[in-house]
Amino acid sequence: MHVKAKKMAFAGLMLAFTIVCIALGSIIEMNTLFLLAAASYFVGIVIRETNVGTGAAFYIAGVLLGFLVSPNKLYIVSYGIMGLYILLNEISFRQLGKLKGTANKDVLFWIIKYSVFNVMYIPMVCGLQKLLFVREIPMNMLFIVIAAGQIGLFIYDRAYEYVQGNIWNKMRGKLF
């Protein structure tokens, strides 16, 4: 019973940090993307420290609480997409770990990552052009935006791996 209470208290503390990052993203407009990415990284931290079920509940709680607290709802949609990517990333990593005899799990993992991202990103860019841009953009510019998204995903994913591997591991040692 004590272990569950400790995990729940930890998840609650991480949820508070998530909401602070989301709220600060609405206040400090220059760092919005950075703060929303940091907020979404907490989803992965909770999953790695507890389990996928707790991480999924944490993600849902973050989105719902964000809608209640944040003045800019579009930022919550951005956080939701980033958090969903992290959630699906961690689930696929755990599932690939269970596979036996797969020739190259790293390549398969990257294929899954980019597939998950593109299933969310490409329909959003194509379908919500008037919301994301001032007007509809030409087809060649649309390809540039999609390519820039792939580069952005690579940077976002590398930053997530750095946070999990270096920053969180150092902080984790001091917390636990």
Side-chain angles (χ1 to χ4, degrees):
M1 180 115 133
H2 172 67
V3 175
K4 287 185 182 181
K6 187 175 180 180
K7 287 181 181 181
M8 294 310 290
F10 172 76
L13 183 63
M14 292 295 111
L15 185 59
F17 287 143
T18 298
I19 298 305
V20 166
C21 286
I22 291 171
L24 284 176
S26 296
I27 296 168
I28 306 171
E29 294 290 328
M30 284 181 6
N31 292 328
T32 299
L33 194 58
F34 170 79
L35 289 166
L36 292 176
S40 68
Y41 291 168
F42 289 120
V43 174
I45 290 170
V46 169
I47 290 172
R48 289 191 183 188
E49 293 300 323
T50 58
N51 57 37
V52 174
T54 304
F58 174 86
Y59 165 72
I60 292 168
V63 171
L64 293 176
L65 194 56
F67 270 114
L68 293 174
V69 172
S70 178
N72 194 335
K73 305 308 181 207
L74 187 59
Y75 293 166
I76 303 305
V77 173
S78 299
Y79 161 75
I81 291 170
M82 291 177 182
L84 182 62
Y85 170 78
I86 295 291
L87 179 67
L88 295 174
N89 186 6
E90 291 294 329
I91 290 171
S92 63
F93 181 76
R94 289 175 187 244
Q95 293 302 319
L96 284 175
K98 294 177 184 176
L99 290 179
K100 293 181 180 153
T102 304
N104 198 345
K105 291 182 184 179
D106 290 336
V107 172
L108 185 58
F109 188 48
W110 275 99
I111 290 170
I112 292 170
K113 284 182 184 185
Y114 273 93
S115 298
V116 164
F117 172 75
N118 285 315
V119 163
M120 293 186 290
Y121 182 68
I122 292 174
M124 180 184 69
V125 169
C126 293
L128 302 175
Q129 286 187 27
K130 290 185 179 180
L131 180 65
L132 298 173
F133 311 107
V134 176
R135 57 182 162 71
E136 285 193 30
I137 58 175
M139 189 61 78
N140 58 350
M141 188 61 109
L142 187 64
F143 288 126
I144 293 172
V145 169
I146 291 172
Q150 309 307 310
I151 296 168
L153 171 68
F154 182 78
I155 293 168
Y156 174 77
D157 198 66
R158 287 294 178 194
Y160 173 68
E161 289 175 7
Y162 179 78
V163 165
Q164 284 286 359
N166 294 331
I167 296 172
W168 176 245
N169 278 342
K170 288 178 185 174
M171 292 177 67
R172 183 177 191 268
K174 293 177 183 175
L175 289 175
F176 296 112

